[in-house]
Each structure stands twice: as structure tokens, then as C-alpha cells.
Amino acid sequence: MSHLFLMLALIIVCGHVAGRRCRRLGQPPVIGEILTGIALGPSLLGAVWPSGQQWLFPADLLPVINALAQVGLVFFMFLIGYELNVEHVRSRGKVAALVSNVSVAVPMIGGFLLAFVMYGRFADRGIGFPAFALFIAVSMSVTAFPVLARILTDRKIDRTPVGALALTCAAVDDITAWCLLALATALGRGTSWTSVLTTAALTAVFISVMMYGLRPLLARLAERHADRLGDRTALLLVLLAGILLASFATDWIGIHPIFGAFLFGVIVPRGAVQTAAVEQVRGVTVVLLLPLFFAYSGLHTDFRLIGADPALWGWCALIIAVATVTKWAGSTGAARLTGLGWQESLSLGALMNCRGLTELVVLGVGLELKIITPTVFAMLVVMTLVTTVLTAPALTLIDRFAAQQQPTPVKRREVEVAAK
């Protein structure tokens, strides 16, 4: 048991240090946390010092790390659901709907085509093409809402029209992605279309109960505790129990537990007391539990599976190209159709191409259900890192290019004189 405490301390400290370093480089801290998990796994530490890596992470303690990581993942998805402003999404109307739908549909089409050429070589025999294709399509269409929000805040553009539109579109993308992931999970677990349809029906019932049954009850509870800022214990108990029970329900239905936690976060009423209780959940989740998810994912990410094989790196490059081009082009094109200028449209495309932690969550589900193999998982992790790292530099280049195209005061006066 004492070794477990050593593992936990090593993981959270290394993740925190790496996150701070990445922020200094202009990258979101999640990049450092992901790289920490990969560095502690077989890709780096296991390749350089195999015996040390096995001593630090003994096989008998990995199930404990996995259990804590899954709890952290469930709590994190609750936080994502709570941060989602449904009314804000509705208020954006047709513009956000068009951009978000196109930014999901185009990458999904690219993902289906990519899955068609990958299936014969990379899919396990026990996985049908519908589950494999839908999962690859979902992985192409994901946008990392929390990482995107952090980038916009750091660059102080979260309150600009483009920033607000990007957040709204990312929120809609998240909702679509989790619904499609639930379907992919059902396909991956189901033995027949009958069981898949049963799972879909139970999921619809669960959503209805949460939205029209539990949500009003939570609203009444929130009103009762609205003036009790000092007493958050009861509300915190309700939140924790609700997260775990909602996760249990969706896991029993046949979809992943994160879907229940996400939906519970969406229906929790907003208010000062609730936010204070949620912040208590956030502290433990972000500092302790979520880094364990990165570490456990990193322990199962082995870039040596790609190795020095040019063919596999060629496939990896193809995955990155499909993910980047379809997401960026789809978002940019849709934004142009709504009347945005080229700078705003290209910036929106760069933002929507950011995948980050959300993509890693999706990939973890696929690996857990064996919809994808460890080799495909490793290639998709590379795609996740590349598309996330690309976001901040791309925004900087777009801004610089736009600034160069704008006439200086001297040139503007020259144009005005020539016009006269």
C-alpha cells in the first residue's frame, strides 16, 4: 500500500510541473499532463529503463490506478456537463447550429472513409465494421471544450464574437460527440442489433427521466438551500451520489458511465451554492484524480508499436491529415457561409481542430471496449497531440497575417489621397 502513495505523488507532481512548463511555452497545461503520462509509460521510461518502470508501476497496483482514474474521469465529465451553458447554446441560434453541425458532419464523413481503408488491416476480427467506423468517425469530429475554453481565456478572446461562437460550437460538438460515442459503445458491446436498439431505447428513457424528473427535483433542492452558503455538506453529498448513481445507470444500460455523469452535470441547477460545491469536486478531480487518468492512458500508449515502420507512420500521417483538414475546412467553410470574414473563419477552424483531453477520453473508451487496437490507439494519440499543439501557433500566425494585410495609417492616407 505504501508503494501506491509513492505512485500517486510521482504522477501528480510530474503532471503539475509539466503542465506549468507547457503553459510558459504558450500551450495548454493538458499537453504537459498527457506527455507526462506517455513519458511514464512504455514509450519512454519503459524503453529506457524497463526494470525501473516496472518497479514504479507494478502490475498488481495498476487495477487500483485504473479504478481511481475511472472515478476521476467520471467526475471530470460531470464538470464538463456543469460548465455547459445550454441557454447560451440556444441563444446563438442558426449560426452556431450550422457551424457546429458542419464541423461534426464533415470530419465524420472523412472518418468513415478512413475507417473503410483501415478496417481490413487494423481492426480486430471480433469487431464489426459499423462499430469501428463510427468510433473512427467520432474521433475525427471531437473538439476539446475545456481545453478550448482555457486557450480562449489565456488569449483574452473568450468574450469576442469569434471566441463566444467557438465556445458555443464546441459545446454543441461535445453534446453530439457524447451521443455518438454512446451509440458506438452500444455497438461495441451489443451482440445484435436488437440489443443495440434496446440500449438506445433505455438511453432515451434515462435522458427523459433525468431532464423531466430529476431536474425539477434538483431545482427545488437548490431553492431550499439558496441562502445557505455556509452549509454545503448536504448539497455536496447530493452531487457526489448523483454523479455515481447516474454513472451506474448508464453503465448498466450498456453505454459508458461518463455519459451519465455528463448528463447529470448538465441538469444540475446553477447558483452560488451549487458552484461552491462543484468547486470542491473540481479541486480533488483536477489535482489528484485526473492526472491518474493521464498516467493510466500513458501506461497503455506504446509508440513502439508504430516503431520505425514507415508504413505505420504513413498511416499516422494520413490520420492527422484527415482529422485536421476535415475539421478545419468544415468549420472554416461553414463560418464563411454565415458571413464571417476570413480571419475569423480561419481562427474558428483552428479552435475547433483542438482535441485535447476530450479526444483522449474517447480513445480510452475505444481501447477499453477493444473497438480499436493498441496500435490504432497510439496513432490516434499522436493525432490528438499534434492537433492540440497546433491550435495556439495557428491562431498566432492567422493574427499576424491579418495584421500584415491591414493598411498602416500612412498607407491609408496615401489611398485616401489617391482616391481624391
Side-chain angles (χ1 to χ4, degrees):
M1 183 60 70
S2 59
H3 198 91
L4 175 64
F5 300 143
L6 174 63
M7 291 171 56
L8 296 179
L10 176 67
I11 291 169
I12 62 176
V13 170
C14 290
H16 178 73
V17 171
R20 288 176 63 91
R21 293 283 180 147
C22 283
R23 172 166 282 186
R24 292 180 180 177
L25 296 174
Q27 292 291 339
V30 69
I31 291 294
E33 293 169 337
I34 294 174
L35 290 175
T36 296
I38 294 173
L40 294 175
S43 298
L44 182 58
L45 184 60
V48 177
W49 189 23
S51 59
Q53 200 265 345
Q54 292 175 4
W55 180 82
L56 282 173
F57 301 99
D60 60 327
L61 288 181
L62 291 184
V64 180
I65 295 294
N66 182 37
L68 293 173
Q70 294 305 312
V71 173
L73 182 57
V74 163
F75 283 178
F76 174 74
M77 290 311 303
F78 161 77
L79 295 174
I80 295 302
Y82 185 80
E83 291 173 354
L84 179 64
N85 191 330
V86 178
E87 295 302 324
H88 189 69
V89 172
R90 291 174 182 169
S91 66
R92 293 288 164 178
K94 296 181 180 179
V95 174
L98 175 62
V99 175
S100 59
N101 288 334
V102 173
S103 69
V104 170
V106 174
M108 285 197 69
I109 293 173
F112 277 119
L113 295 176
L114 183 63
F116 183 78
V117 297
M118 291 179 63
Y119 181 73
R121 174 163 183 174
F122 294 105
D124 280 339
R125 293 182 179 179
I127 298 298
F129 178 74
F132 182 81
L134 182 57
F135 183 83
I136 296 296
V138 171
S139 68
M140 295 294 107
S141 63
V142 164
T143 295
F145 179 76
V147 178
L148 180 64
R150 180 68 65 85
I151 292 175
L152 291 172
T153 302
D154 289 344
R155 298 178 71 91
K156 299 180 180 180
I157 58 175
D158 54 315
R159 298 185 184 276
T160 64
V162 174
L165 181 60
L167 282 173
T168 305
C169 293
V172 177
D173 275 18
D174 261 12
I175 296 173
T176 306
W178 299 128
C179 292
L180 293 173
L181 182 62
L183 178 59
T185 302
L187 288 173
R189 287 179 171 178
T191 56
S192 66
W193 280 103
T194 302
S195 63
V196 171
L197 293 175
T198 301
T199 300
L202 290 173
T203 302
V205 172
F206 173 76
I207 294 174
S208 299
V209 171
M210 294 285 281
M211 297 298 294
Y212 303 109
L214 185 59
R215 189 174 188 176
L217 292 177
L218 291 175
R220 290 195 204 112
L221 180 65
E223 291 178 2
R224 189 175 302 172
H225 290 266
D227 57 347
R228 302 179 186 177
L229 284 172
D231 182 17
R232 297 189 294 266
T233 304
L235 187 55
L236 181 60
L237 176 62
V238 171
L239 289 180
L240 294 177
I243 295 169
L244 298 175
L245 289 175
S247 302
F248 165 77
T250 49
D251 187 56
W252 178 82
I253 287 172
I255 55 179
H256 202 274
I258 61 175
F259 186 75
F262 174 78
L263 185 58
F264 184 74
V266 171
I267 69 169
V268 168
R270 275 58 171 173
V273 179
Q274 295 90 303
T275 301
V278 168
E279 288 304 314
Q280 291 181 295
V281 178
R282 187 190 306 277
V284 177
T285 301
V286 174
V287 176
L288 175 61
L289 297 176
L290 202 55
L292 300 183
F293 171 74
F294 292 123
Y296 190 78
S297 298
L299 292 173
H300 288 79
T301 303
D302 192 354
F303 290 148
R304 294 176 300 178
L305 295 173
I306 306 176
D309 188 347
L312 289 179
W313 282 108
W315 281 103
C316 192
L318 177 63
I319 291 172
I320 295 172
V322 171
T324 303
V325 172
T326 56
K327 192 70 174 180
W328 206 330
S331 303
T332 300
R336 287 289 295 155
L337 289 176
T338 64
L340 288 179
W342 276 111
Q343 179 186 1
E344 293 83 2
S345 299
L346 288 170
S347 298
L348 184 62
L351 290 165
M352 298 301 289
N353 191 48
C354 178
R355 288 176 173 83
L357 176 57
T358 305
E359 179 75 14
L360 204 62
V361 172
V362 172
L363 299 184
V365 173
L367 185 65
E368 176 189 347
L369 298 177
K370 299 182 180 180
I371 298 176
I372 56 174
T373 62
T375 301
V376 175
F377 178 79
M379 291 192 290
L380 290 173
V381 168
V382 173
M383 180 271 291
T384 302
L385 290 170
V386 172
T387 55
T388 306
V389 169
L390 184 63
T391 304
L395 289 173
T396 301
L397 287 176
I398 292 170
D399 291 343
R400 287 180 181 176
F401 181 77
Q404 292 175 357
Q405 299 304 308
Q406 292 179 354
T408 62
V410 175
K411 290 184 178 180
R412 192 178 296 114
R413 285 196 296 269
E414 291 176 353
V415 172
E416 292 174 353
V417 170
K420 294 178 180 179

